[in-house]
Amino acid sequence: MDQKSFFRLIFLIVTAGFIISFTSTNFPHAPTRLLDCTDSSSSPLCASRNFLFNKQQPRPIPKHDPKPNTKNHDHVSDTPNHPLDPLTVSEINKIRSILSSHALFTSGTPHALHTVVLEEPEKNLVRHWEKGNPLPPRKASVIARVGADTHVLTVDISTGRVDSENSPVRVSGYPMMTIEEMNDITVVPFSNADFNRTIISRGVNLTDVICFPISCGWFGNKEENARVIKSQCFMTQGTPNFYMRPIEGLTILIDLDTKQVIEITDTGRAIPIPGSTNTDYRFQKLATTDKTRPLNPISIEQPRGPSFVIEDNHLVKWANWEFHLKPDPRAGVVISRVRVHDPDTHETRNVMYKGFVSELFVPYMDPSDAWYFKTYMDAGEYGFGLQAMPLVPLNDCPRNAAYMDGVFAAADGTPFVRENMVCIFESYAGDIGWRHSESPITGIPIREVRPKVTLVVRMAASVGNYDYIIDYEFQTDGLIKAKVGLSGILMVKGTTYQNKNQVEKDKDGNEEELHGTLLSENVIGVIHDHYVTFYLDLDVDGPDNSFVKVNLKRQETEPGESPRKSYLKAVRNIAKTEKDGQIKLSLYDPSEFHVINSGKTTRVGNPTGYKVVPRTTAASLLDHDDPPQKRGAFTNNQIWVTPYNKSEQWAGGLFTYQSHGDDTLAVWSDSDRDIENKDIVVWYTLGFHHIPCQEDFPIMPTVSSSFDLKPVNFFERNPILSAAPNFEHDLPVCGVQSVSA
């Protein structure tokens, strides 16, 4: 037996072992433990993850690297202190124990838990709860797959009662995938002899190949009546950035439930696998002759310590703000019970009951066989929070940051910890809160300036190749900024072209459609969009609110009225029903979008409110009848307004995976319910069109956009009028070296 055959045999034996380990996910009666993949854990999740990523030796940690965050506790002793606190380790273990004896899970039918989260109490109970009061009964919402059926369960943690809601579920779509089955799918192709022959026929070693699960949307045909996924493969030889080395045109269709290969499509045999040159992005591997002056390290120091506190693990208080913060396996981060202190009335006033990322829709713009299905829903299919990565101190977050872990449940119900998933820190970038200097001609020597210090809540998720950074920034003037950053690695397409001058042209001189940009030899970055839809349950001074579109209209002056011929006026229209609240943004229809409480007014009679302030965004250009756009119809408008409904939180529907688009925000809104003076939810979609460029290779500089929630007649006057300026004696004195050219 030659060396290549020997390694291939070993590889297939290991692969077979993995497949066998996943054939049953019955709840084992094991001691309480937290899932920890840093040691030699035998968990299938850890084994599969380590198999996938340990080919590349981890780089040594330099002495200047920050140490991991020191933990105040191990989570085992955590107890809930607030009605919205996430499930604790002990609660998840109890849920696991309760379900292990439930009839659904004792029949021997393979099963898995896809979601185990807090079943939040009714909103009215939470709004009136005060610290010191007993907590409402703690319940869990569980979505489970048992055989071919999906079940939605509610587990009462104290009584052990399990209630079923519409079980088994008979609507289109499936729950988001578990981490275990995503890892499982990475090895399934290697169990298929035809796949192995295809790889070997390319002259590639099986041990140099990695395959990734790719949700396939819904287009009928093979996706009908079966839960399926597609897998595509990459070369790992010579680089950790295997995304830049696609084995183009090779697509494996797999049954997610049986873990069997259904079909192999290979349309790219003539396309070479791109090389590894210049694809490594790790700092220690980058040899450079660039003599540009390096940046000196920069840090924010707080000699008196941070100004914020985190009470009972999840309640954040800073300056005039307080809010509840929790990690979530689907949404990433959920911010609830957001309230702000009014400096004039000394009241703590309600702003938002709940806000989070509801869905991320990422359609790629290549209709070819190996690409048409790449229309991801990153929250509903993969779990945005499940893909959250530990944040890196001094780089993801500054030195003055505090960190929060996520505690989630694995597919077998075992709790595990996603460390350093969220960071909270005060930020000062030299921005100005407010200022005014008097001109010398007035003779009044005034120079008043206030620094703008903000509080940032941050998480970052690596959903396969792409990295998303989500920031919620709180300002002392009452403004909340939601910001999305995009980084990571492009999803690229292999090509025969090495230079633009090789691209074929027709008789009219038009180039062949590449569906993207040639980034490097044999590499095309495919055009795609990103849409991030936010759920914003605003409760401005209480739950009964209205949505007002304030249009700026040109008004012509009457003859002889003024030397002016025209001016702008504000025309206010209160949305009566949901269709009035469906907004497509336009530069040529300038508007403001207010959420007001008409039952509470300022001393001069204006209704108190907050407004949604859009910034740079993008709108979907896809045909509304295109199957991906039917599923992503929540991006047909940038703003929607719906009446509060506890069951309507996920813009793509509760079951997004392979859904037909029959349970989305667009469907709910079409019922055109009343929204005036109601408990309403505003949905805002932040969009990006991405035409890749060479600067995105081999890894992308971060691009970002944002929107604001800004007070409008909420305060009686500037709420930071009495903010203190900085003085020299407040800060440490740092020596500054002279700088010469």
Side-chain angles (χ1 to χ4, degrees):
M1 180 182 295
D2 61 21
Q3 188 179 43
K4 180 184 291 187
S5 299
F6 173 77
F7 281 117
R8 181 186 172 210
L9 177 62
I10 295 299
F11 180 83
L12 293 178
I13 291 171
V14 172
T15 299
F18 281 127
I19 295 168
I20 292 169
S21 72
F22 277 97
T23 56
S24 175
T25 55
N26 290 334
F27 299 104
H29 295 280
T32 299
R33 63 184 175 88
L34 300 184
L35 195 61
D36 181 4
C37 294
T38 59
D39 56 15
S40 57
S41 171
S42 61
S43 162
L45 172 59
C46 296
S48 187
R49 193 206 71 168
N50 292 336
F51 168 80
L52 185 61
F53 292 107
N54 282 358
K55 289 182 180 179
Q56 300 294 333
Q57 292 298 316
R59 69 178 179 91
I61 299 177
K63 292 181 179 179
H64 64 268
D65 271 10
K67 293 180 180 179
N69 184 43
T70 302
K71 298 299 169 188
N72 295 321
H73 54 261
D74 59 5
H75 294 287
V76 173
S77 59
D78 283 353
T79 57
N81 297 286
H82 187 282
L84 298 178
D85 278 0
L87 297 174
T88 65
V89 166
S90 61
E91 288 178 322
I92 293 173
N93 275 318
K94 188 169 184 181
I95 294 162
R96 180 171 175 262
S97 176
I98 292 169
L99 293 179
S100 68
S101 59
H102 190 275
L104 269 176
F105 307 104
T106 57
S107 64
T109 304
H111 55 266
L113 305 184
H114 290 250
T115 299
V116 181
V117 294
L118 176 74
E119 175 70 34
E120 294 187 356
E122 292 300 318
K123 181 175 177 179
N124 205 42
L125 285 176
V126 178
R127 288 185 61 250
H128 291 96
W129 181 86
E130 294 182 359
K131 187 172 182 177
N133 292 347
L135 291 177
R138 297 279 288 178
K139 298 181 180 181
S141 176
V142 177
I143 298 175
R145 289 276 295 168
V146 182
D149 291 328
T150 300
H151 297 262
V152 180
L153 309 170
T154 299
V155 179
D156 189 310
I157 299 172
S158 58
T159 67
R161 176 173 173 172
V162 179
D163 293 321
S164 300
E165 302 175 15
N166 301 321
S167 295
V169 174
R170 299 299 183 192
V171 297
S172 75
Y174 302 101
M176 67 183 187
M177 294 180 287
T178 66
I179 294 179
E180 287 87 340
E181 63 188 358
M182 282 185 268
N183 279 275
D184 192 11
I185 294 302
T186 64
V187 298
V188 167
F190 299 95
S191 66
N192 184 277
D194 290 337
F195 170 82
N196 292 336
R197 281 192 291 269
T198 296
I199 295 296
I200 294 169
S201 70
R202 284 174 157 85
V204 174
N205 291 330
L206 287 168
T207 51
D208 290 331
V209 174
I210 228 174
C211 295
F212 251 64
I214 301 176
S215 57
C216 55
W218 181 80
F219 299 87
N221 303 323
K222 299 180 182 66
E223 297 90 5
E224 189 72 65
N225 300 322
R227 196 168 69 108
V228 296
I229 194 166
K230 292 187 177 180
S231 181
Q232 292 185 331
C233 306
F234 307 82
M235 272 278 285
T236 63
Q237 187 181 43
T239 179
N241 191 355
F242 54 86
Y243 296 106
M244 290 296 131
R245 305 200 67 194
I247 302 175
E248 188 57 46
L250 178 60
T251 305
I252 306 98
L253 181 65
I254 300 169
D255 188 307
L256 256 175
D257 289 326
T258 66
K259 308 299 186 292
Q260 296 296 312
V261 173
I262 299 172
E263 181 182 77
I264 297 174
T265 304
D266 191 357
T267 60
R269 287 182 176 274
I271 300 174
I273 299 173
S276 62
T277 304
N278 295 327
T279 60
D280 200 333
Y281 49 83
R282 295 171 296 176
F283 179 74
Q284 290 187 329
K285 299 295 183 179
L286 294 177
T288 179
T289 58
D290 188 357
K291 301 302 182 183
T292 303
R293 181 185 300 161
L295 294 175
N296 290 327
I298 188 169
S299 179
I300 295 177
E301 307 298 333
Q302 295 182 284
R304 302 176 189 173
S307 303
F308 67 91
V309 295
I310 303 175
E311 296 181 355
D312 298 327
N313 299 329
H314 295 283
L315 186 63
V316 180
K317 294 183 177 181
W318 173 78
N320 50 348
W321 287 103
E322 66 175 63
F323 55 89
H324 186 273
L325 175 64
K326 70 175 177 183
D328 181 87
R330 181 164 177 172
V333 172
V334 177
I335 295 178
S336 304
R337 300 294 286 130
V338 180
R339 297 188 285 181
V340 66
H341 178 75
D342 189 320
D344 288 319
T345 66
H346 305 293
E347 295 177 295
T348 301
R349 300 167 62 186
N350 291 302
V351 174
M352 183 168 67
Y353 181 76
K354 190 176 183 181
F356 58 88
V357 171
S358 178
E359 192 53 84
L360 302 95
F361 178 40
V362 189
Y364 281 76
M365 304 303 167
D366 186 331
S368 65
D369 189 66
W371 281 81
Y372 75 90
F373 57 88
K374 295 180 181 179
T375 54
Y376 309 113
M377 301 280 190
D378 285 338
E381 293 177 340
Y382 294 90
F384 195 50
L386 290 180
Q387 308 304 317
M389 294 294 114
L391 296 165
V392 179
L394 299 189
N395 294 282
D396 277 322
C397 310
R399 186 191 298 275
N400 61 329
Y403 293 83
M404 183 178 293
D405 299 339
V407 177
F408 302 142
D412 67 353
T414 303
F416 68 94
V417 175
R418 180 74 79 235
E419 291 190 347
N420 289 7
M421 176 177 163
V422 183
C423 70
I424 307 101
F425 60 92
E426 288 166 281
S427 177
Y428 174 56
D431 295 328
I432 297 169
W434 66 262
R435 79 173 319 279
H436 180 65
S437 295
E438 270 300 331
S439 168
I441 64 173
T442 66
I444 305 174
I446 290 178
R447 286 186 296 168
E448 291 285 333
V449 187
R450 302 294 185 269
K452 177 185 284 188
V453 179
T454 65
L455 184 75
V456 178
V457 174
R458 174 172 294 167
M459 67 155 285
S462 298
V463 189
N465 55 303
Y466 250 101
D467 288 60
Y468 295 87
I469 304 104
I470 305 293
D471 284 358
Y472 296 96
E473 183 175 333
F474 294 83
Q475 297 184 183
T476 52
D477 60 0
L479 183 144
I480 305 171
K481 181 186 295 292
K483 183 178 178 182
V484 176
L486 306 179
S487 188
I489 300 170
L490 290 173
M491 181 168 285
V492 301
K493 179 178 181 177
T495 179
T496 58
Y497 299 127
Q498 294 192 327
N499 192 285
K500 279 278 287 182
N501 60 22
Q502 298 172 325
V503 178
E504 295 181 4
K505 297 181 180 180
D506 62 21
K507 59 183 177 60
D508 297 321
N510 298 314
E511 287 187 346
E512 174 193 346
E513 177 60 69
L514 298 181
H515 305 293
T517 305
L518 188 66
L519 304 178
S520 185
E521 290 80 2
N522 306 116
V523 176
I524 292 173
V526 177
I527 296 169
H528 57 282
D529 286 348
H530 297 266
Y531 300 101
V532 185
T533 298
F534 288 81
Y535 173 102
L536 306 164
D537 181 6
L538 293 170
D539 278 4
V540 180
D541 276 329
D544 294 335
N545 290 173
S546 296
F547 181 77
V548 183
K549 184 178 180 181
V550 184
N551 288 96
L552 282 174
K553 297 290 187 182
R554 184 177 67 196
Q555 180 68 43
E556 309 290 342
T557 57
E558 298 292 335
E561 179 186 356
S562 170
R564 294 276 298 272
K565 289 187 176 182
S566 63
Y567 60 95
L568 299 183
K569 66 176 182 179
V571 179
R572 290 169 170 81
N573 294 293
I574 295 179
K576 303 292 185 182
T577 66
E578 288 178 275
K579 289 188 178 179
D580 296 333
Q582 296 177 3
I583 305 296
K584 289 181 172 63
L585 299 177
S586 171
L587 287 176
Y588 295 96
D589 181 23
S591 304
E592 290 192 354
F593 309 101
H594 296 190
V595 175
I596 65 167
N597 188 327
S598 58
K600 184 166 184 179
T601 59
T602 63
R603 71 177 187 277
V604 297
N606 292 312
T608 62
Y610 259 72
K611 63 182 177 181
V612 179
V613 184
R615 298 190 183 275
T616 303
T617 189
S620 176
L621 303 178
L622 295 179
D623 190 305
H624 286 192
D625 289 329
D626 194 352
Q629 193 60 27
K630 284 184 178 180
R631 301 177 67 233
F634 51 87
T635 64
N636 290 345
N637 299 304
Q638 288 73 58
I639 296 176
W640 309 72
V641 184
T642 62
Y644 172 80
N645 184 322
K646 188 178 179 181
S647 67
E648 297 176 357
Q649 296 192 72
W650 307 110
L654 178 61
F655 302 109
T656 305
Y657 197 93
Q658 285 179 236
S659 68
H660 303 179
D662 52 358
D663 181 34
T664 68
L665 169 58
V667 173
W668 312 330
S669 184
D670 275 347
S671 59
D672 206 23
R673 296 163 291 189
D674 293 337
I675 57 173
E676 184 178 9
N677 290 323
K678 303 286 185 183
D679 189 356
I680 59 176
V681 175
V682 176
W683 308 73
Y684 183 83
T685 295
L686 191 62
F688 300 79
H689 295 309
H690 191 170
I691 303 174
C693 59
Q694 285 188 242
E695 287 80 2
D696 294 331
F697 177 90
I699 194 164
M700 290 170 47
T702 300
V703 296
S704 60
S705 189
S706 63
F707 68 94
D708 297 339
L709 299 175
K710 187 179 188 300
V712 55
N713 302 316
F714 186 82
F715 298 104
E716 294 289 351
R717 57 178 180 164
N718 180 352
I720 54 172
L721 189 66
S722 60
N726 282 336
F727 296 99
E728 195 68 33
H729 62 263
D730 292 327
L731 300 169
V733 177
C734 299
V736 179
Q737 296 179 343
S738 61
V739 178
S740 57

